[in-house]
Amino acid sequence: MLTVDFSRFPLAAGDRVLDLGCGAGRHAFECYRRGAQVVAVDRNGEEIREVAKWFAAMKEAGEAPAGATATAMEGDALALPFPDESFDVVIISEVMEHIPDDKGVLAEMVRVLKPGGRIAVTVPRYGPEKICWALSDAYHEVEGGHIRIYKADELLAKMEAAGLKPYGTHHAHGLHSPYWWLKCAFGVDNDKALPVKAYHKLLVWDIMKKPLATRLAEQALNPVIGKSFVAYATKPHLPVGAAGSAQ
């Protein structure tokens, strides 16, 4: 289940990609399949080990084209172990709402992104997320949980302040908001409640089968109750002479 829409976020074979806060690796795997040179970073060592296993399995199965590479490593989003301008593409999906110093994270991403490079940022959407918080304290008041809810213009303003130039936005996962509202209403850790089980079964069916009916339903729901807000931006090239004039 991808949140980033690669039809709006072009990726070329050979692009060096950083998936920051990769989690279970869904975007990193897709970039690897598309021929990128992928570095997946997360602070969770257990998840990184699983991502590394999946990278190895994908290579063994021939799922990635020749020239594609994939590395999984533990790392701190506020102190990335990479030189300046190391990556053509940076993805950070459903991560920034967890980190107190979100401006610091944006600064690090801009630092390692090449001029002309592209970045995709996804966060929980304001409206659906507010409902989750209202229904359940346990949804967000956990260690490592969500500490803020972004409004779209707030996130875009922070991206611009970090030196990025946003070029597009959209909403994703409209079918998933009702599921999380049910989870919050019946108990975040209560997977046995009948409405939660039934809706989860629907989502699994949708992910596995991708039927036309649910694809159309999600397209209609995304602008209204899409669970995620997705923003795309570029890192502008310095104007000619700017580097010299700054000295």
Side-chain angles (χ1 to χ4, degrees):
M1 184 186 74
L2 298 174
T3 307
V4 172
D5 180 353
F6 286 93
S7 69
R8 310 178 196 225
F9 189 64
L11 187 69
D15 275 352
R16 187 163 165 81
V17 177
L18 172 64
D19 185 2
L20 183 56
C22 65
R26 58 202 171 102
H27 289 107
F29 300 149
E30 180 64 19
C31 293
Y32 189 32
R33 291 187 187 99
R34 289 170 178 261
Q37 298 175 7
V38 184
V39 180
V41 175
D42 201 284
R43 65 183 301 177
N44 186 316
E46 185 176 339
E47 286 198 309
I48 282 296
R49 286 187 288 275
E50 283 299 310
V51 170
K53 289 178 183 177
W54 278 105
F55 278 152
M58 290 172 67
K59 182 178 181 179
E60 181 72 19
E63 288 190 38
T69 62
T71 304
M73 59 185 291
E74 289 185 59
D76 182 352
L78 291 165
L80 294 171
F82 309 114
D84 295 354
E85 302 178 4
S86 298
F87 294 94
D88 302 291
V89 173
V90 176
I91 296 171
I92 184 165
S93 182
E94 311 300 303
V95 173
M96 287 181 56
E97 67 276 8
H98 297 271
I99 301 176
D101 186 7
D102 58 346
K103 291 181 181 179
V105 173
L106 279 168
E108 269 294 86
M109 290 190 293
V110 171
R111 179 185 69 79
V112 302
L113 186 64
K114 294 177 182 178
R118 303 171 302 286
I119 186 168
V121 180
T122 92
V123 297
R125 186 182 185 177
Y126 183 82
E129 185 77 348
K130 284 285 283 187
I131 294 173
C132 287
W133 283 44
L135 289 171
S136 171
D137 290 337
Y139 171 79
H140 63 97
E141 290 183 356
V142 295
E143 184 178 356
H146 299 183
I147 62 170
R148 71 173 65 83
I149 307 176
Y150 287 101
K151 290 186 176 179
D153 55 359
E154 175 195 359
L155 178 61
L156 293 172
K158 287 186 175 183
M159 292 171 68
E160 290 177 339
L164 295 167
K165 184 177 181 181
Y167 69 82
T169 66
H170 64 91
H171 300 98
H173 310 317
L175 288 175
H176 288 249
S177 289
Y179 172 71
W180 282 102
W181 296 339
L182 288 169
K183 287 270 287 181
C184 290
F186 286 94
V188 173
D189 297 319
N190 180 11
D191 294 325
K192 295 182 179 180
L194 184 58
V196 175
K197 288 176 66 176
Y199 204 103
H200 183 263
K201 187 174 181 179
L202 168 68
L203 292 180
V204 171
W205 176 69
D206 171 57
I207 292 169
M208 298 301 294
K209 301 296 185 181
K210 297 181 174 61
L212 179 61
T214 55
R215 295 299 87 213
L216 293 174
E218 183 147 87
Q219 286 179 20
L221 289 172
N222 280 342
V224 184
I225 58 169
K227 183 74 169 64
S228 295
F229 173 70
V230 188
Y232 305 108
T234 58
K235 178 179 176 178
H237 291 274
L238 282 175
V240 175
S245 63
Q247 294 178 355

